[in-house]
Amino acid sequence: MAKRSALITGITGQDGSYLAELLVNKGYEVHGLVRRTSSVNTARIEHILDKIQLIPGDLTDESSLVSAIRKSKPDEIYNLAAQSFVGSSWSQPIFTGETTAIGVTRLLEAIRTAGSDARFYQASSSEMFGKVQATPQNEKTPFYPRSPYAVAKLYGHWITVNYRESFGMYACSGILFNHESPRRGIEFVTRKISDGVARIYHGLQDELRLGNLDSKRDWGFAGDYVEAMWLMLQQENPDDYVIGTGETHSVREFCELAFGAAGLDWEKYVKIDPRFVRPAEVDLLLGDASKAKNVLGWKPKVTFPQLVKMMVESDIELVARDMKSKGKTPRSE
Ligand code: NAP
Ligand code: G4F
C-alpha cells in the first residue's frame, strides 16, 4: 500500500516538530512547508531532517501553497503556521491578520485550486474564548477574543467551518488550550520561566521579570496534543474539538513549581515588570475536553507537575551545555 502523505505548515515550530515525529513514526511521508529565513531555523526538527521533506513556501504567498500541495500530494494537511505570540499581535496586528487569519483562506483556496481532496486541520486556539462567557469552556461556549491574535484565530476558525459547510471539505478545527514543552518558544511565559530558572540556577542572572502573575491557563504537554490533531483527521466525519487538561493554574503557581524544581524560592527572584502586562488580558482558561474524550478517545498523559519539571530539567541541561561550549563552568549537582 502507498504511504500516506501529510503536509505540515509550521513544521519548524513547537507543534510542527512533535507532529512530524508522530507522523514519521506512523509511517507517513511527511512534507513540511518552510519559509525563507536568513539563518537556519530547523533546530526543532534537526533529528528527523533525513526522514522528512521540506518545501519552500509562505502562508502569505498563495502560489507557493498551491505548488506545495501539488508537490506533496497530501492525504492530510495540518495548518500549524501562524504568528502565534499573543504579545506581538498588538505590535504587528496587520502581519498577524495576514498570516494567522487570511493565511487560512489562502491555504483552503490553494487546496481547491490544486484539486486536492486532502483532509484539513486548522490550529484554532482557546484564546478565542478570551473574556470567558462560561467556565469551563467547551465547543458550545461563545467566543470573545481579546487580542489581534485571538481575533485572527477566530477568523481562521470560522473560515474552516465555512469551507466545510460550503464545499463539503473534510476540514476540522482543533480548539487547543495552551500546550508547552522544552521546545516551546522562549517568549511564552512557561519557557521564559523555565529558562529563567535555569539561568538563575547556573548563576547567569539574578532575577526574572514577568507581567501578570494572576492569569490562569490550562497547560498541557504539546506531545499529547499533536495526537489529538491526528485523531481528528481519522474520524468518519469532520468536526471541531476542544483539547485541554481540565485543570487551570496561575502563572504564580507555575513559578512556584518551576523554581521549586531547582531548589529555589521563586519570591526571591521574580519581579513584576509593567512591560510584560498586556493591553487586554485573558484572565482564565479552563478546557472541557469531554467531546474529544468520548469521540476521539483522547486524554492527556503528562500532568502539570511533570510538565513543569520536564521543562526546568531540560533548560538546566541546555544552559549548562551552552556555558561549557563558551568555556564557562556551570553549576554542578
Ligand atoms: P510556533 O512554535 O510559534 O510555530 C509557528 C510556526 O509557524 C513556525 O514554524 C513558523 O515558522 C511558522 N510560520 C509563521 N508565519 C508563517 C508564514 N507566514 N508562512 C509559513 N509559516 C509561518 O507555534 P506552536 O506553539 O507550534 O503552535 C502551532 C499552531 O497552533 C499555531 O498556529 C498556534 O497559533 C496554534 N496554537 C498553539 C497553542 C499552544 O499553546 N502552543 C494553542 C492553541 C493554538 P518560523 O520557524 O519560520 O518562524
Ligand atoms: O505564555 P503566553 O504568552 O501564552 P498565551 O497568551 O496564553 O497564548 C498561548 O496559548 C494560546 C492558547 O490559549 C495560543 F493560541 C497562543 O498561540 C499561545 O501559544 O501567556 C500566558 C499568560 C498570559 O496571561 C500573560 O499575560 O502569562 C501571562 N504572563 C505574565 N508574564 C506573561 C508574562 N506572558 C509572557 N509571554 N511573558 C511574560 O513575561
Side-chain angles (χ1 to χ4, degrees):
M1 214 173 77
K3 269 188 157 191
R4 292 181 70 71
S5 169
L7 174 64
I8 303 173
T9 74
I11 196 166
T12 53
Q14 172 190 253
D15 291 7
S17 68
Y18 282 107
L19 180 65
E21 271 173 22
L22 179 84
L23 297 181
V24 164
N25 289 335
K26 286 188 183 296
Y28 278 69
E29 186 180 295
V30 176
H31 303 262
L33 187 86
V34 286
R35 56 180 175 166
R36 192 260 159 192
T37 47
S38 66
S39 54
V40 180
N41 72 338
T42 47
R44 292 181 177 112
I45 48 172
E46 206 63 53
H47 58 298
I48 50 167
L49 270 181
D50 58 337
K51 299 189 179 77
I52 61 179
Q53 292 174 52
L54 301 182
I55 304 178
D58 196 301
L59 276 193
T60 58
D61 183 328
E62 193 180 330
S63 64
S64 71
L65 303 177
V66 176
S67 301
I69 294 168
R70 290 199 170 128
K71 190 159 184 208
S72 56
K73 298 186 181 54
D75 298 293
E76 297 167 15
I77 298 177
Y78 295 87
N79 183 32
L80 309 187
Q83 191 300 95
S84 74
F85 185 46
V86 173
S88 292
S89 75
W90 278 282
S91 56
Q92 298 175 40
I94 313 289
F95 173 70
T96 302
E98 277 293 341
T99 305
T100 308
I102 302 296
V104 187
T105 313
R106 285 197 196 92
L107 187 51
L108 288 165
E109 275 301 301
I111 294 173
R112 279 160 43 75
T113 304
S116 164
D117 58 3
R119 295 185 168 198
F120 178 79
Y121 173 85
Q122 166 58 16
S124 288
S125 166
S126 54
E127 277 291 302
M128 302 186 309
F129 295 120
K131 189 172 175 181
V132 295
Q133 303 296 294
T135 296
Q137 296 87 47
N138 62 25
E139 295 79 6
K140 296 199 162 59
T141 306
F143 299 119
Y144 193 137
R146 293 273 280 173
S147 62
Y149 166 81
V151 172
K153 277 287 173 191
L154 195 49
Y155 174 94
H157 171 74
W158 280 119
I159 202 72
T160 301
V161 173
N162 181 261
Y163 271 49
R164 178 169 76 217
E165 293 176 355
S166 304
F167 305 116
M169 291 174 74
Y170 190 111
C172 298
S173 168
I175 306 172
L176 272 51
F177 282 65
N178 299 49
H179 43 280
E180 320 293 315
S181 74
R183 297 183 202 167
R184 185 58 141 152
I186 204 82
E187 70 271 61
F188 298 92
V189 78
T190 54
R191 184 77 199 288
K192 182 173 169 183
I193 295 168
S194 62
D195 173 70
V197 167
R199 286 174 186 284
I200 291 168
Y201 177 85
H202 285 300
L204 291 182
Q205 67 188 50
D206 54 13
E207 63 174 29
L208 176 62
R209 305 189 82 82
L210 296 172
N212 178 13
L213 301 186
D214 294 322
S215 82
K216 292 180 139 188
R217 290 290 182 274
D218 178 337
W219 278 300
F221 171 55
D224 289 343
Y225 285 45
V226 297
E227 297 247 9
M229 298 176 188
W230 177 76
L231 283 167
M232 284 180 216
L233 296 198
Q234 312 312 311
Q235 306 307 305
E236 197 175 331
N237 296 308
D239 207 345
D240 309 321
Y241 298 89
V242 156
I243 301 295
T245 69
E247 273 184 39
T248 190
H249 298 276
S250 64
V251 174
R252 182 178 282 100
E253 280 175 82
F254 196 102
C255 287
E256 264 175 54
L257 274 188
F259 279 86
L264 301 169
D265 174 4
W266 74 279
E267 289 185 279
K268 286 192 187 150
Y269 303 101
V270 173
K271 305 277 180 294
I272 304 301
D273 188 330
R275 280 184 305 151
F276 299 111
V277 175
R278 295 176 175 176
E281 180 61 287
V282 171
D283 296 323
L284 176 146
L285 291 173
L286 175 60
D288 167 10
S290 309
K291 179 175 166 185
K293 188 174 174 215
N294 295 333
V295 180
L296 306 178
W298 179 87
K299 61 178 193 308
K301 297 186 190 95
V302 176
T303 65
F304 179 66
Q306 286 169 341
L307 174 67
V308 179
K309 189 164 175 280
M310 178 202 303
M311 292 180 71
V312 170
E313 286 178 353
S314 164
D315 274 325
I316 286 181
E317 207 184 302
L318 201 68
V319 171
R321 231 183 298 144
D322 185 52
M323 288 174 76
K324 280 184 200 156
S325 75
K326 291 174 180 149
K328 293 184 188 160
T329 311
R331 172 172 161 177
S332 55
E333 278 314 303

